[in-house]
Amino acid sequence: MKQLAVLGPNGTYSTRAIQSLEKKYDVKLYPTILKVCTSVDIKTDGLIPFENTLDGFVMEGLDSIIQNQLFIREQVQLDVNFSFVANTTDLSKVKEVYVQFKAYGQCLNFITKHNLTPIVLQSNMESYEKIKNEKREDIGAIIPIHIDTSCFLYHLDNVADSKLDQTRFVRLTKDQTYENVSFPSCCSAIITPIQDSPGVLFDILEAFKKSNLNLSSILSRPRRDIMGNYIFYVEFLLEPNSLHILKALKDRLEKDRKNSFTVIGIYNRLEVRK
């Protein structure tokens, strides 16, 4: 059975997302997204949180995919929400809060309303373990809503900024082949401008328009090798029999050596859930 590197520990939304994958895996847990991505090889796939409806893309994950030359093979989506817990019945005594770095962006209204100073951690379960073991009255924690809160004196459910809080997770591989894919599919790609000149972004958008491809996401990330230069991460939908359109798009973008175009994922389309 193939291995799957996952952001742990057990109990995180990442470990719950495993159940929605197409295949079964021998799971190995890692403490950070970077360690998950660097563990992906021929024998090991990876699973990381990639985007949240309230807090946007997980930049650490996107950058790690690019740096490690990984390929997005599958995506799954989970409804998420959070509980606030504390070891006191008096909320006014709580001055600080343990919170995972993405959960912080999803629960910002609650944290601000109660004047809590965030202590940002790598994992939701790390927040849970710390508040459970320390027994301090002046600190609380934001933890996944599915975690048992019966051991705490105070708990409040649904503290995310919106009940429509969803996170998508992506399965990553080292294998970058995509000849045999099902449609419609989503495609992720990296566009690297080679010639820094006025109208670079306009030319990129025009290439998509001429190819009749609908962009669903576009964002810039620093190249990391040249200060002030950026690459563009894009997502778009591929309809049946559109691999030839993908080639035409590549030709348009790379014409006159203006850009380089690299596909970094072709994967299943998710249904929009409301």
Side-chain angles (χ1 to χ4, degrees):
M1 183 180 294
K2 198 170 188 180
Q3 284 195 332
L4 182 71
V6 180
L7 181 65
N10 273 317
T12 63
Y13 278 114
S14 293
T15 58
R16 289 171 71 89
I18 298 170
Q19 303 169 18
S20 301
L21 295 176
E22 294 177 352
K23 301 177 182 178
K24 301 297 182 183
Y25 288 90
D26 178 18
V27 176
K28 187 172 183 181
L29 302 177
Y30 290 86
T32 66
I33 289 173
L34 180 59
K35 286 186 178 293
V36 170
C37 291
T38 55
S39 299
V40 175
D41 54 27
I42 297 301
K43 296 181 179 179
T44 303
D45 290 354
L47 179 69
I48 62 169
F50 193 58
E51 186 185 15
N52 176 262
T53 51
L54 302 182
D55 200 45
F57 281 92
V58 182
M59 293 307 178
E60 181 184 354
L62 176 56
D63 291 342
S64 295
I65 291 171
I66 296 169
Q67 292 165 28
N68 291 282
Q69 298 182 328
L70 304 181
F71 197 82
I72 302 172
R73 188 66 62 182
E74 180 184 359
Q75 63 176 347
V76 297
Q77 182 173 274
L78 291 183
D79 293 326
V80 301
N81 210 316
F82 299 91
S83 299
F84 172 81
V85 296
N87 293 309
T88 177
T89 57
D90 186 356
L91 183 56
S92 66
K93 290 183 178 180
V94 181
K95 306 302 180 184
E96 299 176 305
V97 61
Y98 292 124
V99 59
Q100 189 252 14
F101 66 99
K102 289 302 284 186
Y104 172 67
Q106 297 168 60
C107 304
L108 194 55
N109 290 343
F110 177 85
I111 293 170
T112 303
K113 177 182 178 181
H114 295 284
N115 297 313
L116 301 174
T117 300
I119 301 174
V120 181
L121 304 174
Q122 282 290 319
S123 165
N124 286 309
M125 293 308 295
E126 185 180 1
S127 300
Y128 170 75
E129 292 296 336
K130 279 185 172 292
I131 191 67
K132 182 180 178 182
N133 295 329
E134 292 181 2
K135 302 298 183 183
R136 289 169 50 187
E137 289 189 334
D138 63 337
I139 194 163
I142 289 174
I143 62 175
I145 199 169
H146 58 267
I147 301 299
D148 180 21
T149 59
S150 60
C151 61
F152 300 104
L153 295 175
Y154 183 95
H155 89 271
L156 180 65
D157 291 337
N158 301 308
V159 298
D161 292 349
S162 170
K163 291 183 179 180
L164 256 174
D165 191 4
Q166 299 168 343
T167 296
R168 63 169 171 145
F169 300 79
V170 291
R171 179 172 63 87
L172 309 169
T173 70
K174 271 292 187 182
D175 178 17
Q176 300 185 8
T177 58
Y178 56 87
E179 285 79 9
N180 299 316
V181 296
S182 58
F183 294 98
S185 294
C186 292
C187 182
S188 291
I190 295 297
I191 302 169
T192 305
I194 296 172
Q195 300 178 13
D196 187 13
S197 60
V200 168
L201 180 56
F202 176 85
D203 291 341
I204 291 173
L205 296 177
E206 185 179 45
F208 277 90
K209 180 176 176 58
K210 288 183 176 179
S211 301
N212 198 31
L213 291 170
N214 188 25
L215 276 171
S216 57
S217 296
I218 179 168
L219 65 154
S220 62
R221 300 299 296 150
R223 274 188 56 168
R224 294 176 177 256
D225 57 345
I226 304 175
M227 178 67 73
N229 282 33
Y230 294 82
I231 62 175
F232 293 98
Y233 170 78
V234 296
E235 291 181 2
F236 52 96
L237 181 65
L238 287 175
E239 297 292 352
N241 303 315
S242 58
L243 283 183
H244 68 285
I245 298 177
L246 197 59
K247 183 181 183 306
L249 174 66
K250 179 178 176 67
D251 291 341
R252 286 192 177 102
L253 289 168
E254 295 186 345
K255 184 179 180 181
D256 300 325
R257 290 186 51 79
K258 288 185 177 181
N259 309 283
S260 69
F261 175 80
T262 305
V263 173
I264 64 167
I266 296 183
Y267 44 94
N268 59 300
R269 186 182 183 186
L270 291 175
E271 292 185 12
V272 177
R273 284 151 53 186
K274 299 181 180 180

